[in-house]
Amino acid sequence: MKSIDICDPIENLRGVNSKITKQLEHLGIETVRDLLLYFPRRYDDFSVTTKIKDITIGEKYTISGTVLSIENNRAFRSRMAITSAQISDGDRTIKAIWYNQPFLIRNIHKDQKINISGKVGYQQKSLIMQNPAYEVLNLNSETTHTGRLVPIYKETRGLTSRWLRSLVKNALTCSDQIEDILPEDIKKKRSLISTQSSVKQIHFPKNRKEQQEAKRRISFDELFLIQLVILNSKKQLESVGAPKIIPDIKLTKTILSSLPFKLTDAQKKALWQVLKDMEKGVPMNRLVEGDVGSGKTLVALLSAASTAKSGWQTAFMAPTEILASQHFTETIKVLTDANLNIALLTASESTAYEPELKEIYSPKKNDLIKMINNGKIDIVLGTHSLIQDKVKFKKLGLVILDEQHRFGVKQRATLLKDQDFTPHLLSMTATPIPRTLAMTAYGDLDISLIDQMPKNRKKVITKTASGKERKKEYDFIEKEVKKGRQVFVICPKIENKNQDDVELTERQLKSLKIKAVKEEYEKLSEKIFPHLKVAMLHGKMKPKEKDQIMKDFKDKKYDILVSTSVIEVGVDVQNATIMMIEGADRFGLSQLHQFRGRVGRGEHQSYCFLFSDSESENSRIRLKIMETCSDGFKLAEYDLKMRGPGDFLGKNQSGIPDVAMEALINPFLISEAQEEAKKIIEKDPTLKKHPKILKRISKMTEEIHFE
Ligand code: ADP
Ligand code: MG
């Protein structure tokens, strides 16, 4: 047989036909290397075999024995094929039953030694295992599917973990060809195993220790490379020029004295950090992180005011049209004494504010673009329509991104290109990113925390309830609506019972979500509140439709808005006082907190109802926390502990393997990787002496920029 090469296409492996090739492609596996780097998401611990006399019914075991008999039957009614085998461990017997797999009779024979792993039950006076994992034992080789830590992979339709296991095992014969990028001295100093061993051990660890070692090595590489990319991009940024913005203290004071409130200390500090950054002549790259309603926009606007007075333009980008236009209104209000030209440019709007006459007018879109391009407009608010080709800012000094995690890195890059100077970048997010995570995932950003709320904010009263108590809350809603208030209803309602179930595609998930919203909408509008005005919002609608509904809701044309999680971002509906969330246990606490932030923005007392039918103690406790805690950062830390970093990064987008995800929050490993990355860059700034590392980080940088 021809030996396999790690670069070979996957179809060169034995047993892989064109159909399977397609399925593997779904999992992103095209070459043998891809397969080897397709790591298990978890393990079933079948490492200990148990004697039948020692088992407890209802628990999982691996039993090793001899096949006494095996036969196929058909179920009386359903005609389903049932394969049953009697297995003896020399002392007692157990029955194994498989459904719909009549072919098993060809793989498993009488008198063979076999392992079966699974949950033990009791039926018709016999111990049984239904659909156990099984493995016919070959005394000369170690087991793959039973009697060990068994790797479980993310599956796709038609490709099971069992199948992937065999395939990976086959491919592992060339694991020695995988490159190890780390210099020996680092490995030695940090007690890291080789890449080759880590790949073998991550798939088929002999024990927990081997699995941990492998995970540590793989995670270290990931963190190390991320740190290198960060150091590199920081260095690059420092080498280009940026506009020097002189803080206009006098103007800042004038603006502040016109407001009906005082800045919080946290806002002052953040503003100060931004102004200091922009003075330097090196591009700022700063993230302002602050809870919903903490007043981030104001910090951004004051930064824009100084930028304008230094003769530079600001582009302020929001993720939706409605947010952009909300910001436009706010900007005019706040900067009314600053004597600046302000404009709004979105797909459907082109509006400008003339400061001398204090007048809002609507130029033609092309005319507005001309005014931006010739530098007349000081501050432009908009959506990503600001990055279209025609818009070429004359002197772009500051880019502000609201809810920045909504923007792709690519869009960000587009905004920053084509300038003699690189503009300063200020991003804002209400999703608190726990510190450890920020060090890695957002490591190239400086962070300002606004960890303080303006005084006199009313706390949103939060209550968790089981579905049965809905009636009471519906009555309450009725009363509030009569008082003239409005209500948000959020529903996910996606059953995702078993992590190992075949994964749904994005499209399938979306359609399920929409089904849930539609059902809820019909229920509320037809049965519960037929006399109220109910609207629906979901992700499949066109942005224009969505914006229209949000606008109408804001204008009180509806009483209740039923929605998927698309309303998450900072839209301000002052009159909405109730946020009702169905299936609340399926959201992260941070996300629930975001939803909750949609209400309590006006003068009225607001409420948040969290419905959950989950019986798990864990979800109950998680939701209870929402009742007492209104600190987004605490909730985020809690989420991170309970659910891992996927919630913050978007598991699918981040491109970081599951096994390394956890490491992103391991402060010790992070600082080890950080130290080593710094040392390498100090000694070898261009990485000339480390070509393997250079190759990997160039590839990472490319992927980041072209995602
Ligand atoms: P977010 O941080 O969620 O973007 P916003 O910037 O939208 O919050 O601020 C929410 C509201 O709070 C706005 O109406 C804003 O004018 C107001 N606000 C901002 N700063 C303060 C403050 N220091 N005291 C009182 N209200 C403030
Ligand atoms: Mg905001």
Side-chain angles (χ1 to χ4, degrees):
M1 196 180 75
K2 191 173 150 277
S3 65
I4 10 175
D5 188 277
I6 194 157
C7 300
D8 279 352
I10 197 75
E11 56 257 41
N12 284 18
L13 282 182
R14 195 151 41 91
V16 179
N17 57 25
S18 63
K19 186 172 151 220
I20 294 172
T21 307
K22 273 240 166 63
Q23 287 165 330
L24 286 168
E25 239 168 59
H26 270 296
L27 300 173
I29 302 171
E30 292 176 8
T31 64
V32 176
R33 176 188 273 109
D34 296 340
L35 179 67
L36 288 176
L37 299 181
Y38 191 72
F39 299 140
R41 52 164 34 177
R42 62 177 187 85
Y43 304 83
D44 270 344
D45 191 352
F46 289 140
S47 56
V48 183
T49 57
T50 306
K51 284 285 178 197
I52 297 176
K53 70 175 167 52
D54 294 329
I55 62 187
T56 308
I57 291 169
E59 304 281 314
K60 286 182 175 178
Y61 296 100
T62 296
I63 289 163
S64 197
T66 310
V67 181
L68 296 182
S69 66
I70 179 159
E71 60 182 21
N72 275 344
N73 287 301
R74 285 206 173 268
F76 179 63
R77 238 175 262 249
S78 65
R79 308 300 299 153
M80 187 188 353
I82 298 178
T83 309
S84 52
Q86 289 287 343
I87 290 154
S88 159
D89 66 358
D91 177 24
R92 284 157 205 242
T93 60
I94 188 167
K95 196 166 156 186
I97 298 179
W98 290 277
Y99 301 99
N100 256 337
Q101 303 180 57
F103 52 84
L104 286 182
I105 209 154
R106 275 182 269 132
N107 307 351
I108 305 172
H109 305 287
K110 187 167 179 301
D111 295 332
Q112 270 178 336
K113 295 262 177 240
I114 190 172
N115 274 356
I116 53 173
S117 293
K119 198 162 137 186
V120 175
Y122 186 72
Q123 257 180 27
Q124 294 168 341
K125 299 194 180 159
S126 167
L127 291 172
I128 63 157
M129 263 193 209
Q130 306 197 37
N131 285 327
Y134 71 93
E135 185 157 31
V136 175
L137 300 183
N138 173 347
L139 294 181
N140 300 322
S141 64
E142 60 174 36
T143 56
T144 307
H145 308 294
T146 58
R148 62 171 312 131
L149 279 175
V150 179
I152 307 291
Y153 299 90
K154 188 171 142 193
E155 302 178 348
T156 182
R157 203 170 289 278
L159 270 192
T160 61
S161 269
R162 184 182 177 90
W163 209 90
L164 281 164
R165 270 198 294 275
S166 306
L167 202 61
V168 169
K169 194 142 207 191
N170 199 346
L172 273 176
T173 52
C174 62
S175 63
D176 285 343
Q177 296 169 29
I178 290 192
E179 265 180 359
D180 192 333
I181 58 159
L182 281 190
E184 288 304 320
D185 58 322
I186 295 186
K187 278 188 280 186
K188 210 156 166 198
K189 183 161 166 217
R190 304 294 176 182
S191 320
L192 296 163
I193 61 173
S194 71
T195 298
Q196 294 82 1
S197 307
S198 74
V199 169
K200 278 184 214 147
Q201 290 177 211
I202 200 78
H203 289 292
F204 293 104
K206 289 208 173 67
N207 45 46
R208 283 281 166 202
K209 181 168 165 272
E210 280 205 5
Q211 185 248 336
Q212 291 298 336
E213 282 172 352
K215 191 167 122 182
R216 184 158 184 278
R217 170 62 210 263
I218 291 163
S219 307
F220 185 91
D221 280 15
E222 212 60 50
L223 293 171
F224 176 70
L225 292 169
I226 290 175
Q227 293 302 333
L228 283 176
V229 171
I230 289 170
L231 288 174
N232 234 359
S233 73
K234 271 198 160 156
K235 216 172 56 191
Q236 265 174 19
L237 207 56
E238 274 159 23
S239 68
V240 300
K244 277 200 176 137
I245 310 290
I246 315 296
D248 192 329
I249 304 294
K250 193 161 151 255
L251 174 66
T252 307
K253 283 195 172 143
T254 313
I255 297 170
L256 287 178
S257 64
S258 75
L259 296 175
F261 50 75
K262 282 208 172 69
L263 286 190
T264 62
D265 288 342
Q267 279 172 312
K268 274 186 211 159
K269 190 168 160 209
L271 175 64
W272 184 246
Q273 287 171 328
V274 171
L275 293 177
K276 276 280 147 211
D277 277 357
M278 296 200 299
E279 221 175 4
K280 281 185 210 148
V282 173
M284 167 176 77
N285 197 9
R286 184 170 286 279
L287 173 69
V288 173
E289 233 188 302
D291 225 336
V292 203
S294 61
K296 297 180 291 289
T297 319
L298 189 56
V299 172
L301 292 180
L302 291 166
S303 317
S306 276
T307 304
K309 290 297 169 191
S310 285
W312 294 85
Q313 293 169 287
T314 295
F316 191 142
M317 289 169 59
T320 61
E321 289 203 6
I322 182 157
L323 262 181
S325 97
Q326 188 178 298
H327 285 327
F328 178 63
T329 314
E330 173 97 2
T331 307
I332 294 172
K333 208 164 78 190
V334 172
L335 300 183
T336 177
D337 295 333
N339 196 29
L340 298 174
N341 282 283
I342 301 163
L344 173 67
L345 179 67
T346 64
S348 58
E349 276 185 283
S350 66
T351 313
Y353 171 76
E354 158 57 55
E356 316 255 284
L357 305 171
K358 295 202 187 302
E359 221 175 58
I360 295 174
Y361 62 106
S362 305
K364 286 219 181 67
K365 196 177 253 177
N366 275 335
D367 293 337
L368 182 59
I369 290 176
K370 263 182 218 146
M371 285 155 69
I372 294 170
N373 295 354
N374 70 24
K376 173 152 175 24
I377 305 289
D378 300 300
I379 301 173
V380 191
L381 299 109
T383 54
H384 33 256
S385 52
L386 294 188
I387 53 178
Q388 56 187 324
D389 283 346
K390 275 193 276 175
V391 184
K392 292 198 176 63
F393 286 86
K394 179 142 192 261
K395 285 183 83 180
L396 185 57
L398 171 62
V399 176
I400 299 169
L401 300 178
D402 196 15
E403 301 300 340
Q404 64 95 37
H405 60 289
R406 300 269 160 156
F407 282 94
V409 177
K410 191 177 152 199
Q411 285 163 312
R412 213 190 298 189
T414 317
L415 253 179
L416 297 182
K417 69 164 194 231
D418 282 355
Q419 294 259 334
D420 300 336
F421 282 105
T422 301
H424 300 286
L425 184 59
L426 177 62
S427 352
M428 301 190 284
T429 180
T431 312
I433 303 150
R435 205 183 64 87
T436 44
L437 204 53
M439 278 165 71
T440 44
Y442 293 85
D444 54 339
L445 301 175
D446 297 310
I447 296 183
S448 297
L449 286 186
I450 304 194
D451 51 1
Q452 190 181 21
M453 286 301 240
K455 276 190 219 123
N456 307 328
R457 281 279 152 81
K458 281 205 189 88
K459 218 175 132 174
V460 177
I461 296 175
T462 303
K463 275 174 69 183
T464 61
S466 84
K468 291 180 208 110
E469 296 161 84
R470 265 190 205 94
K471 174 83 178 68
K472 207 169 86 204
E473 316 306 352
Y474 285 154
D475 291 345
F476 187 81
I477 288 177
E478 184 89 43
K479 265 193 239 143
E480 283 284 298
V481 172
K482 279 217 180 91
K483 280 195 245 164
R485 305 291 124 71
Q486 288 164 287
V487 182
F488 286 110
V489 178
I490 309 262
C491 41
K493 280 251 187 75
I494 312 280
E495 295 290 344
N496 202 353
K497 282 190 210 122
N498 190 342
Q499 287 285 305
D500 293 329
D501 278 354
V502 173
E503 293 269 319
L504 295 173
T505 65
E506 199 108 315
R507 189 180 50 81
Q508 289 164 332
L509 256 175
K510 226 178 187 173
S511 68
L512 273 181
K513 252 191 196 174
I514 289 160
K515 182 160 167 271
V517 186
K518 276 192 181 140
E519 270 168 22
E520 188 68 23
Y521 168 74
E522 276 158 19
K523 181 178 115 192
L524 292 180
S525 61
E526 286 163 21
K527 298 211 179 91
I528 316 253
F529 303 117
H531 49 292
L532 300 182
K533 287 164 287 176
V534 187
M536 170 169 71
L537 194 70
H538 60 71
K540 252 209 179 141
M541 293 173 162
K542 299 215 174 70
K544 253 199 168 151
E545 274 179 278
K546 275 192 279 191
D547 265 13
Q548 191 58 49
I549 289 184
M550 268 323 284
K551 251 183 223 141
D552 289 346
F553 188 61
K554 216 172 154 164
D555 296 341
K556 283 197 181 191
K557 287 188 193 154
Y558 300 109
D559 304 309
I560 300 176
L561 181 63
V562 186
S563 165
T564 54
S565 51
V566 294
I567 57 139
E568 217 176 317
V569 238
V571 177
D572 213 355
V573 183
Q574 303 251 341
N575 192 51
T577 56
I578 296 181
M579 168 57 68
M580 191 173 117
I581 301 170
E582 295 282 348
D585 53 288
R586 298 209 182 87
F587 294 105
L589 298 185
S590 290
Q591 213 183 352
L592 290 174
H593 185 62
Q594 291 276 310
F595 294 145
R596 179 165 63 184
R598 299 300 110 238
V599 297
R601 308 198 130 218
E603 57 196 298
H604 310 293
Q605 176 62 52
S606 291
Y607 305 85
C608 176
F609 301 130
L610 304 170
F611 286 117
S612 162
D613 293 326
S614 166
E615 315 229 306
S616 110
E617 181 66 6
N618 192 347
S619 346
R620 210 183 54 80
I621 294 173
R622 262 173 23 93
L623 292 183
K624 269 285 176 219
I625 290 173
M626 293 296 296
E627 289 188 355
T628 47
C629 182
S630 55
D631 178 335
F633 286 93
K634 284 209 184 106
L635 293 172
E637 289 289 350
Y638 199 81
D639 256 352
L640 190 63
K641 275 201 205 101
M642 304 282 284
R643 291 165 54 113
D647 273 12
F648 300 94
L649 298 176
K651 237 188 191 129
N652 296 324
Q653 282 106 52
S654 62
I656 297 165
D658 279 5
V659 281
M661 272 286 197
E662 258 173 78
L664 290 185
I665 54 173
N666 176 346
F668 298 108
L669 203 59
I670 293 173
S671 62
E672 282 184 304
Q674 224 165 20
E675 269 174 42
E676 295 301 340
K678 271 193 191 135
K679 253 193 264 165
I680 275 216
I681 286 278
E682 261 163 38
K683 278 198 231 138
D684 180 16
T686 53
L687 292 173
K688 233 189 295 178
K689 291 184 213 120
H690 299 87
K692 285 186 264 182
I693 297 180
L694 182 63
K695 203 169 128 201
R696 282 284 290 278
I697 68 166
S698 316
K699 194 159 164 252
M700 272 171 83
T701 317
E702 219 170 84
E703 276 163 12
I704 292 172
H705 284 295
F706 294 99
E707 72 187 356

